[in-house]
Amino acid sequence: MKVIEVALKSGGDIDWFLDYINSYYRAITMVSYESVKDQLDLLGINLAHVADRAFYQRGGTENTKDKLKRRLNGLFGRRNIIAHQSDRAHTDAQVNIITKEIVQNFICDIEKIVRSIDTEARNK
């Protein structure tokens, strides 16, 4: 109700909305496949098109949506381990190895996904 009161009192000013959105999403990680899928649905962007544009390989054996799901969930899982467990394994607290190659692969995947979403959004 407090947010609604602020909205009603604001008139045409939208700063209240930006404050609310920033506050609401501050604690939510939106990197998981399901979260990205939901966000794309809200924007009317076809997930299959994003996956195809980002991960299609001629002669590839893996479905592009499955590959997108695997890559996003891999990134999300690693992010959570780094953020919540100091990048240590749950079972024995051993520090996980992170190499330059792992980081470069994550960056490459993120760039492909972001470019694909950007292209799909611009085409709408």
Side-chain angles (χ1 to χ4, degrees), residues 35-52:
S35 180
V36 170
K37 183 176 147 226
D38 291 345
Q39 292 169 65
L40 293 176
D41 283 345
L42 283 173
L43 296 172
I45 295 175
N46 187 310
L47 177 77
H49 293 170
V50 169
D52 288 345

Side-chain angles (χ1 to χ4, degrees), residues 52-63:
D52 288 345
R53 187 178 300 279
F55 293 112
Y56 176 78
Q57 286 182 328
R58 182 174 255 197
T61 58
E62 187 175 17
N63 175 302

Side-chain angles (χ1 to χ4, degrees), residues 66-80:
D66 291 342
K67 190 169 188 175
L68 176 65
K69 182 176 184 175
R70 185 172 52 79
R71 298 285 176 89
L72 284 173
N73 285 338
L75 178 62
F76 177 66
R78 189 62 188 259
R79 177 252 172 230
N80 283 349

